[in-house]
Amino acid sequence: MVIRKGTAIFLVLTFFFSLALTIQPVKAADKVVYVVPLEKEVERGLASFLERAINEAEEAGAEAIIFNINTPGGAIDAARDIGQIFTNSEIKKIAFVNPNALSAGAYISLYADEIYMTPSASMGAAAVIDSAGNAADKKTISYWNSAMSSAAESSDRNPIFARAMADDTVEIPEEYGIVSNGFLTLSSSEARQVGYSEGTEENLDALLSELGYENAEIRNLEPSFLENLARFITNPIVVPILLSVASLGLIVELYSPGFGVAGMMGLTAMMLFFFGHLVAGLAGFEVLILFIIGIGLIIAEFFVPGGILGALGLVAIIASILLAGNSIVYMGIALAIALLVAVIGMVIMVKFLGKNLHLLKKIILSDSTSTESGYVSNVNRVELIGITGITRTPLRPSGTIVIGDERIDAVTEGGYIDKNKQVKVVKVEGSRIVVREID
């Protein structure tokens, strides 16, 4: 019985030992690398996404974060914010220009710890353009030149090339072998030649292998649906369109009975406007609260006449829109465009479509007291024209006449008529009865 028990134990141990020999140890990835796209236009919505990506990578203890860059540039203020986010981050940041990092994209790339490019990539062309598509003023150009230099110096790169990207008057010494015809744009080979790139790689996989991350855990982080929506809504072109749709919807609703499609369209546009700016981090809830207060004051105007509440509500709404953006000047321009669209819509509704105001009838008097409607300020005695009478008092030129048994106030055509003279009514203008002496 003892032998059987020992044999059983031996067999069990032998089985588990054999099983252990067949199991190969799995080597866990000792490095985590995040790959984050930096694409399309640079705007505040992108800055919000990149900030989230860097925070997530840092919390995960990632070895590095690679920004897959392909952008034509964008807003200076958004690029500045992204540069600050990069500066405040301790994680290793690698810019992979694939294939373009132009204007604000070049500025952001210079804040990375390392820059790599694809063979056909280009970086530079950082001219400052205003909202009208024209060259910016000298003050803005000077600021941008300084910002580009600071970005290059932050990663120990020669700032002269960064300045040449932003200013076409900067001359590059011949010793560098770089020829710039206007705003400097570096190819991948030129960027490596002047120290603006650490290397050229065919694709992301080749870059990972070059950096020693081929066995690392690669985590691709993409913008969420809400972040993509916020980026679209906060686009400099979309903002004035949204505000114009909102204002036009409100105007059409004012001239329409009930609350219909136009009102829903305007309300939806405003909700999207504030939603996008909240998600993008451009506005806080205090701006939304200010907007709601403005709406409440305008509604209160329907019940408390006087105009003061309505005016305060309008000011609150305008202030909330101006404060929702990253630039009050730009938001002012967008709001001015929206107001112009509203005025044009109002003119079309009244002049061409003949619409009447419906929603504000309670606080606006729309009826006219015209003669055609039966309203008169005094009785118009047109039946007296041609009738004769006797002056009861001298007319100097006004006085009293008697026609039959009726005393009537009358005036002459400008002259003097003595008492007890025969006169004839020649004109009646409301309460003004004009007489002429009969010779």
Side-chain angles (χ1 to χ4, degrees), residues 36-39 67-71 95-101 105 108-109:
V36 177
L38 200 162
E39 301 172 334
F67 297 96
N68 202 359
I69 300 177
N70 182 24
T71 174
F96 184 43
V97 182
N98 180 24
N100 296 310
I108 295 170
S109 299

Side-chain angles (χ1 to χ4, degrees), residues 370-412:
S370 61
T371 303
E372 292 78 6
S373 302
Y375 294 95
V376 292
S377 58
N378 298 95
V379 178
N380 199 353
R381 303 288 301 276
V382 292
E383 75 278 3
L384 296 178
I385 297 177
I387 297 178
T388 60
I390 302 295
T391 58
R392 179 78 177 198
T393 64
L395 305 183
R396 301 188 178 90
S398 62
T400 303
I401 66 173
V402 177
I403 297 178
D405 296 329
E406 183 180 4
R407 294 166 59 93
I408 299 173
D409 294 328
V411 296
T412 69

Side-chain angles (χ1 to χ4, degrees), residues 416-432:
Y416 170 81
I417 301 177
D418 201 0
K419 180 181 177 182
N420 295 323
K421 297 291 185 178
Q422 192 174 19
V423 294
K424 181 173 69 173
V425 178
V426 295
K427 187 186 300 183
V428 174
E429 298 173 340
S431 61
R432 186 171 180 266

Side-chain angles (χ1 to χ4, degrees), residues 166-364:
D167 189 349
D168 59 352
T169 64
V170 175
E171 296 183 2
I172 300 175
E174 295 181 1
E175 61 190 77
Y176 293 107
I178 300 295
V179 178
S180 175
N181 297 319
F183 298 97
L184 177 64
T185 301
L186 295 174
S187 65
S188 56
S189 59
E190 290 173 334
R192 188 164 188 179
Q193 176 184 336
V194 300
Y196 269 47
S197 170
E198 275 65 45
T200 303
E201 303 297 335
E202 287 288 340
N203 49 48
L204 183 60
D205 289 337
L207 175 62
L208 291 170
S209 179
E210 172 66 22
L211 296 173
Y213 297 144
E214 62 271 16
N215 295 323
E217 179 186 347
I218 307 301
R219 298 182 183 178
N220 293 285
L221 189 63
E222 296 288 339
S224 66
F225 170 77
L226 294 181
E227 286 173 329
N228 279 326
L229 181 60
R231 288 191 64 183
F232 173 77
I233 291 173
T234 56
N235 187 286
I237 298 177
V238 176
V239 169
I241 295 176
L242 271 180
L243 292 178
S244 297
V245 170
S247 62
L248 188 60
L250 175 61
I251 290 300
V252 173
E253 191 62 37
L254 290 177
Y255 288 88
S256 303
F259 189 81
V261 176
M264 287 299 300
M265 179 180 67
L267 184 60
T268 301
M270 287 307 304
M271 289 175 62
L272 285 174
F273 170 81
F274 282 104
F275 165 80
H277 286 76
L278 284 171
V279 172
L282 290 168
F285 284 101
E286 67 278 0
V287 173
L288 182 59
I289 293 173
L290 182 62
F291 176 77
I292 295 174
I293 290 175
I295 294 295
L297 289 173
I298 291 179
I299 294 176
E301 181 65 30
F302 286 87
F303 306 98
V304 184
I308 296 178
L309 294 180
L312 290 176
L314 185 61
V315 170
I317 290 175
I318 293 175
S320 67
I321 293 174
L322 292 177
L323 295 175
N326 205 31
S327 169
I328 292 181
V329 174
Y330 169 73
M331 294 305 299
I333 295 173
L335 187 58
I337 294 173
L339 292 177
L340 178 61
V341 171
V343 170
I344 294 174
M346 184 179 295
V347 171
I348 293 175
M349 295 295 291
V350 175
K351 295 294 184 182
F352 297 98
L353 300 181
K355 295 289 185 178
N356 295 319
L357 205 61
H358 285 274
L359 188 58
L360 301 183
K361 277 186 175 181
K362 292 183 177 180
I363 60 174
I364 296 179

Side-chain angles (χ1 to χ4, degrees), residues 83-99:
Q84 190 61 46
I85 292 171
F86 278 29
T87 300
N88 295 336
S89 172
E90 297 295 331
I91 193 172
K92 183 178 181 180
K93 296 169 288 295
I94 301 169
F96 184 43
V97 182
N98 180 24

